[in-house]
Structures are given as structure tokens and as C-alpha cells.
Amino acid sequence: MKRDHILFIASVVGVFLLLLAGAWSSPTFSEEQSYIEAIVMFGALLFVFSVVVIVAAMGFRSFALFMALFIAMAVSLYGIEAGVIVVVATYVIWGLIFAIQLLLVHHRVEGAIRWFRERYTFKTFTLEFKVFYPMIWTFYFFFEYLPHLVTKEHLIDFDPKEVYDVMKGFLNPR
């Protein structure tokens, strides 16, 4: 691990320990509550920072800034639970949009192919394909497999690798 990472982790742990020591040794209840609030706020800020770093490291740099602002607003207004809900809801909503478009590409719908060409390079597509792989299967399960079980209609086989290869042909510059 790099020295910078170790220093950052040590700083975070040190801040938490100092705040915890302050809460433990507080002579009054109100001082103790202030330290506990500081611990919660520091944890919330650390959560927002870590989401921004993860999203930016995955390649979504412009999206990371907007996501950070939205999460920070949710956390400051409603607490850390709201921040977690924002992250999960964003993943689910964008993942379902991505999965719908990918399933349409599987069926060779020209509008879906155009949608990917306008928004993605092959590199960014590959990244989102890996990130939303569980959502692709979830969408397939709920919108193809379950209706097949209920209505006994023909089940369309779905192979994400096949769609990935098709997208490689569509998105790579010629």
C-alpha cells in the first residue's frame, strides 16, 4: 500500500479516536452529545468523500461531482441513511436504464444502438457493463424469465457476452 494511503487511513482513524476520547471524557451530557454529533458528521463527510472517490476512480468524473453534491445535500438534510438511499437508488435506476437499453440491443432495436453510440465509447461501455452486470440479470429475470413462467410464452435466450461482442462491433472506431 502506498504511503499516502496509510497516512490517510491513520488520519481518519486518529480523528475518530480523538472524537471518541472527547465524548468519553466529557464532563457534561451536552458536551458528550456535541462530540457524538461531530463523530456522526465526520462519518457522513467521509461517506460522501468515499463515494466521490469510488465513482471518479471508475471513470465517471463529471458524474462524481453531481453525485457528491446530491449526496451531501441528502446527508445534511436527512442523515447518513438518506445518503445511502441516494447511492442505492442511483445505482438501481441507472442500472435498469442501462439494462433496458442493452436488452433492446439484444433484440437489434436501432434506437437502442443509436442511444449507445451517442453516449458511449467502447471503454465507457465496458466499464458500465461491468458495474451494472447484476442489474442486467435482474432486469432479464423480472422482464423475461418471470413472465415466461407465468404465461408459458417462448423464453428468449439471453447471453450478456453475446451482447457485449455486438456492442464491441458497434462502438469501436473503424
Side-chain angles (χ1 to χ4, degrees):
M1 207 188 290
K2 290 184 178 179
R3 185 173 191 258
D4 295 339
H5 293 115
I6 293 171
L7 288 174
F8 177 73
I9 292 169
S11 299
V12 169
V13 170
V15 168
F16 271 118
L17 290 176
L18 283 173
L19 289 171
L20 191 60
W24 183 301
S25 63
S26 295
T28 65
F29 179 74
S30 62
E31 281 185 27
E32 184 180 322
Q33 291 299 82
S34 295
Y35 278 109
I36 291 173
E37 287 176 14
I39 291 170
V40 169
M41 186 54 69
F42 184 70
L45 289 174
L46 189 62
F47 173 73
V48 170
F49 175 74
S50 62
V51 168
V52 170
V53 168
I54 290 168
V55 171
M58 288 172 40
F60 307 110
R61 285 171 178 76
S62 61
F63 180 71
L65 178 62
F66 294 112
M67 181 83 163
L69 292 172
F70 196 62
I71 292 171
M73 288 187 296
V75 167
S76 67
L77 291 173
Y78 302 109
I80 193 74
E81 296 86 6
V84 172
I85 290 170
V86 166
V87 170
V88 170
T90 302
Y91 177 81
V92 168
I93 291 169
W94 188 249
L96 284 176
I97 291 169
F98 187 84
I100 289 168
Q101 293 294 338
L102 202 63
L103 211 54
L104 290 172
V105 166
H106 178 59
H107 293 289
R108 302 290 197 262
V109 174
E110 187 59 37
I113 296 167
R114 190 173 49 251
W115 186 84
F116 278 108
R117 281 185 177 151
E118 291 171 0
R119 289 169 178 77
Y120 292 93
T121 63
F122 184 67
K123 181 180 176 184
T124 58
F125 170 78
T126 301
L127 180 67
E128 283 197 33
F129 184 81
K130 291 176 183 176
V131 169
F132 294 124
Y133 195 77
M135 292 304 299
I136 294 167
W137 280 109
T138 302
F139 182 78
Y140 176 76
F141 177 77
F142 281 117
F143 290 97
E144 291 281 345
Y145 189 73
L146 278 182
H148 160 74
L149 292 178
V150 173
T151 63
K152 302 295 184 204
E153 289 183 18
H154 174 68
L155 180 64
I156 298 170
D157 291 330
F158 179 67
D159 182 17
K161 176 71 172 139
E162 178 185 317
V163 177
Y164 182 80
D165 292 338
V166 167
M167 291 306 294
K168 185 186 289 187
F170 287 134
L171 296 177
N172 271 337
R174 297 183 196 321

